Amino acid sequence: MTTAITTDRRSKGASRIEAHPLPRAAFDFALPPELEAYDPPEARGLARDDVRLMITRIGDDSVTHARFRDIGAFLCPGDVLVINTSATINAALDVSTADGMPLELHLSTRLGAEQWVVELRTPGQIGSSPYLDGVIGESLSLPDGASARLDAPYSRDLPARLWRATVRWPGTAAGYLAAHGYPIRYGYVRERWPIEYYQTVFATEAGSAEMPSAGRAFTPELITRLVAQGVEIVPILLHTGVSSLEEHEAPYPEYFRVSDESAARITIARREGRRIIAVGTTVVRALETVTDAAGRTRGGDGWTDVVVTPERGARAVDGLLTGLHEPRASHLSMLEAIAGGPHLRVAYAAALAERYLWHEFGDLHLILPGQKRETGAF
């Protein structure tokens, strides 16, 4: 069982970040290439909230198919949707080695003023692949006189996919990335789309290398309808790192913040037997970090290394809105912790049979509990 590195506001402990192996492999399945969403819904002639929504219920393994804009029909007054307010940055940059080799530098996690966890990738016609020939102390050239130095392998092993690096550029990070950066994309996304396509309506604080994509389909109009219906929206923050885990490693530590007010609202709702539904796996990770075994959620911030698995269990949420995750992805272990392996297999068999679309521009999956939580748990 892993725990948070720190939730103490007085000591963030960024220098102590370490990666942890995934306790066991998530289940595998075959994903047909044609089910990978390679364009945003808008480019396919759809509104954001017109993507498909699969609703599954843990209690009876029922499966219902709808459009996302109809999600309110499956939520109840008093339900709590916990959302991530992290905004996506232009985290990809064109760089070159000393001998002129072109590479992509993916900024993953900011550790300090000039310190980052980064990933080097070899660009291709479609997407990119990991570049594993980096050398300790190597300098890389960036546009407009900026530079990056590879300080140490993130995992202390060579060859390395992730590095601790010193990155220097003129002016502010926000200004430099706006001028020279672009969103991270992988092989299934065929074009470079502007950063606006990678922001959710909840985005207020920049910091995520990749979009917290479970919230992408929400629109202001839909949120207004849900609030009028009596659904409560509670914000938290978790800045995502890169998700390009080719060997399906466990997610590594990420920065999070859960305010005292948000924690109190979640705890009150849980005490009253109302459903806590996380909008995305990022929300689950943050809440699991600050929720104790008795189900009490407290405010906190810092670096979390919590990895939610069936062995560890999940105690912070009753349901989850999420995208569809690729075979053996570590997120599937989290889903299994919440829904159980048999239910997850039923759900993914239905998604494959009904030709749902995968990844950040794809369709969504709402996992609901079979029955309401008993009141008065604590």
Side-chain angles (χ1 to χ4, degrees), residues 47-59:
R48 279 198 175 212
D49 61 357
D50 201 32
V51 295
R52 299 174 70 191
L53 176 67
M54 179 175 67
I55 306 95
T56 66
R57 293 178 177 81
I58 300 170

PDB file of all heavy atoms in Angstrom, residues 47-59:
ATOM      1  N   ALA A  47     -20.632  18.587 -31.145  1.00  0.00           N
ATOM      2  CA  ALA A  47     -20.392  19.483 -30.023  1.00  0.00           C
ATOM      3  C   ALA A  47     -19.628  18.712 -28.953  1.00  0.00           C
ATOM      4  O   ALA A  47     -19.602  17.484 -28.937  1.00  0.00           O
ATOM      5  CB  ALA A  47     -21.718  19.997 -29.471  1.00  0.00           C
ATOM      6  N   ARG A  48     -19.007  19.448 -28.049  1.00  0.00           N
ATOM      7  CA  ARG A  48     -18.247  18.779 -26.982  1.00  0.00           C
ATOM      8  C   ARG A  48     -19.107  17.782 -26.217  1.00  0.00           C
ATOM      9  O   ARG A  48     -18.649  16.688 -25.883  1.00  0.00           O
ATOM     10  CB  ARG A  48     -17.685  19.808 -26.003  1.00  0.00           C
ATOM     11  CG  ARG A  48     -16.417  20.485 -26.477  1.00  0.00           C
ATOM     12  CD  ARG A  48     -15.686  21.138 -25.321  1.00  0.00           C
ATOM     13  NE  ARG A  48     -14.406  21.686 -25.773  1.00  0.00           N
ATOM     14  CZ  ARG A  48     -13.320  21.755 -25.013  1.00  0.00           C
ATOM     15  NH1 ARG A  48     -13.365  21.302 -23.773  1.00  0.00           N
ATOM     16  NH2 ARG A  48     -12.201  22.265 -25.484  1.00  0.00           N
ATOM     17  N   ASP A  49     -20.326  18.170 -25.905  1.00  0.00           N
ATOM     18  CA  ASP A  49     -21.165  17.309 -25.067  1.00  0.00           C
ATOM     19  C   ASP A  49     -21.984  16.317 -25.882  1.00  0.00           C
ATOM     20  O   ASP A  49     -22.910  15.697 -25.355  1.00  0.00           O
ATOM     21  CB  ASP A  49     -22.071  18.143 -24.168  1.00  0.00           C
ATOM     22  CG  ASP A  49     -23.031  19.034 -24.942  1.00  0.00           C
ATOM     23  OD1 ASP A  49     -22.964  19.043 -26.193  1.00  0.00           O
ATOM     24  OD2 ASP A  49     -23.853  19.722 -24.304  1.00  0.00           O
ATOM     25  N   ASP A  50     -21.627  16.148 -27.163  1.00  0.00           N
ATOM     26  CA  ASP A  50     -22.351  15.200 -28.003  1.00  0.00           C
ATOM     27  C   ASP A  50     -21.594  13.880 -28.162  1.00  0.00           C
ATOM     28  O   ASP A  50     -22.017  13.009 -28.923  1.00  0.00           O
ATOM     29  CB  ASP A  50     -22.615  15.806 -29.388  1.00  0.00           C
ATOM     30  CG  ASP A  50     -23.773  15.107 -30.103  1.00  0.00           C
ATOM     31  OD1 ASP A  50     -24.697  14.648 -29.412  1.00  0.00           O
ATOM     32  OD2 ASP A  50     -23.740  15.027 -31.350  1.00  0.00           O
ATOM     33  N   VAL A  51     -20.473  13.724 -27.437  1.00  0.00           N
ATOM     34  CA  VAL A  51     -19.805  12.423 -27.451  1.00  0.00           C
ATOM     35  C   VAL A  51     -20.702  11.403 -26.757  1.00  0.00           C
ATOM     36  O   VAL A  51     -21.652  11.753 -26.045  1.00  0.00           O
ATOM     37  CB  VAL A  51     -18.431  12.483 -26.767  1.00  0.00           C
ATOM     38  CG1 VAL A  51     -17.482  13.389 -27.531  1.00  0.00           C
ATOM     39  CG2 VAL A  51     -18.551  12.920 -25.307  1.00  0.00           C
ATOM     40  N   ARG A  52     -20.402  10.146 -26.952  1.00  0.00           N
ATOM     41  CA  ARG A  52     -21.230   9.094 -26.363  1.00  0.00           C
ATOM     42  C   ARG A  52     -20.873   8.888 -24.895  1.00  0.00           C
ATOM     43  O   ARG A  52     -19.750   9.159 -24.453  1.00  0.00           O
ATOM     44  CB  ARG A  52     -21.054   7.793 -27.138  1.00  0.00           C
ATOM     45  CG  ARG A  52     -21.464   7.908 -28.596  1.00  0.00           C
ATOM     46  CD  ARG A  52     -21.139   6.651 -29.368  1.00  0.00           C
ATOM     47  NE  ARG A  52     -21.988   5.544 -28.976  1.00  0.00           N
ATOM     48  CZ  ARG A  52     -21.783   4.272 -29.340  1.00  0.00           C
ATOM     49  NH1 ARG A  52     -20.714   3.962 -30.076  1.00  0.00           N
ATOM     50  NH2 ARG A  52     -22.613   3.329 -28.967  1.00  0.00           N
ATOM     51  N   LEU A  53     -21.841   8.408 -24.141  1.00  0.00           N
ATOM     52  CA  LEU A  53     -21.669   8.132 -22.717  1.00  0.00           C
ATOM     53  C   LEU A  53     -22.214   6.742 -22.424  1.00  0.00           C
ATOM     54  O   LEU A  53     -23.382   6.449 -22.697  1.00  0.00           O
ATOM     55  CB  LEU A  53     -22.415   9.169 -21.872  1.00  0.00           C
ATOM     56  CG  LEU A  53     -22.399   8.939 -20.353  1.00  0.00           C
ATOM     57  CD1 LEU A  53     -20.978   9.112 -19.803  1.00  0.00           C
ATOM     58  CD2 LEU A  53     -23.370   9.891 -19.649  1.00  0.00           C
ATOM     59  N   MET A  54     -21.353   5.897 -21.891  1.00  0.00           N
ATOM     60  CA  MET A  54     -21.769   4.570 -21.426  1.00  0.00           C
ATOM     61  C   MET A  54     -21.930   4.619 -19.910  1.00  0.00           C
ATOM     62  O   MET A  54     -21.010   5.014 -19.197  1.00  0.00           O
ATOM     63  CB  MET A  54     -20.735   3.511 -21.823  1.00  0.00           C
ATOM     64  CG  MET A  54     -21.087   2.102 -21.350  1.00  0.00           C
ATOM     65  SD  MET A  54     -19.913   0.844 -21.952  1.00  0.00           S
ATOM     66  CE  MET A  54     -18.411   1.322 -21.063  1.00  0.00           C
ATOM     67  N   ILE A  55     -23.100   4.239 -19.433  1.00  0.00           N
ATOM     68  CA  ILE A  55     -23.381   4.239 -17.999  1.00  0.00           C
ATOM     69  C   ILE A  55     -23.458   2.799 -17.536  1.00  0.00           C
ATOM     70  O   ILE A  55     -24.260   2.000 -18.063  1.00  0.00           O
ATOM     71  CB  ILE A  55     -24.711   4.955 -17.674  1.00  0.00           C
ATOM     72  CG1 ILE A  55     -24.717   6.355 -18.267  1.00  0.00           C
ATOM     73  CG2 ILE A  55     -24.945   4.990 -16.169  1.00  0.00           C
ATOM     74  CD1 ILE A  55     -25.378   6.453 -19.644  1.00  0.00           C
ATOM     75  N   THR A  56     -22.619   2.434 -16.577  1.00  0.00           N
ATOM     76  CA  THR A  56     -22.667   1.075 -16.029  1.00  0.00           C
ATOM     77  C   THR A  56     -22.883   1.156 -14.522  1.00  0.00           C
ATOM     78  O   THR A  56     -22.383   2.065 -13.858  1.00  0.00           O
ATOM     79  CB  THR A  56     -21.383   0.286 -16.335  1.00  0.00           C
ATOM     80  OG1 THR A  56     -20.274   0.880 -15.652  1.00  0.00           O
ATOM     81  CG2 THR A  56     -21.099   0.266 -17.832  1.00  0.00           C
ATOM     82  N   ARG A  57     -23.647   0.198 -13.994  1.00  0.00           N
ATOM     83  CA  ARG A  57     -23.955   0.161 -12.559  1.00  0.00           C
ATOM     84  C   ARG A  57     -23.340  -1.086 -11.945  1.00  0.00           C
ATOM     85  O   ARG A  57     -23.566  -2.201 -12.420  1.00  0.00           O
ATOM     86  CB  ARG A  57     -25.464   0.205 -12.348  1.00  0.00           C
ATOM     87  CG  ARG A  57     -26.082   1.541 -12.762  1.00  0.00           C
ATOM     88  CD  ARG A  57     -27.596   1.555 -12.600  1.00  0.00           C
ATOM     89  NE  ARG A  57     -28.143   2.865 -12.933  1.00  0.00           N
ATOM     90  CZ  ARG A  57     -28.379   3.288 -14.174  1.00  0.00           C
ATOM     91  NH1 ARG A  57     -28.104   2.503 -15.214  1.00  0.00           N
ATOM     92  NH2 ARG A  57     -28.883   4.488 -14.385  1.00  0.00           N
ATOM     93  N   ILE A  58     -22.585  -0.835 -10.891  1.00  0.00           N
ATOM     94  CA  ILE A  58     -21.817  -1.911 -10.287  1.00  0.00           C
ATOM     95  C   ILE A  58     -22.719  -3.001  -9.716  1.00  0.00           C
ATOM     96  O   ILE A  58     -22.406  -4.185  -9.807  1.00  0.00           O
ATOM     97  CB  ILE A  58     -20.899  -1.341  -9.185  1.00  0.00           C
ATOM     98  CG1 ILE A  58     -19.938  -0.317  -9.793  1.00  0.00           C
ATOM     99  CG2 ILE A  58     -20.116  -2.448  -8.486  1.00  0.00           C
ATOM    100  CD1 ILE A  58     -19.152   0.493  -8.778  1.00  0.00           C
ATOM    101  N   GLY A  59     -23.855  -2.611  -9.140  1.00  0.00           N
ATOM    102  CA  GLY A  59     -24.689  -3.583  -8.440  1.00  0.00           C
ATOM    103  C   GLY A  59     -25.224  -4.697  -9.310  1.00  0.00           C
ATOM    104  O   GLY A  59     -25.240  -5.870  -8.907  1.00  0.00           O
TER     105      GLY A  59
END
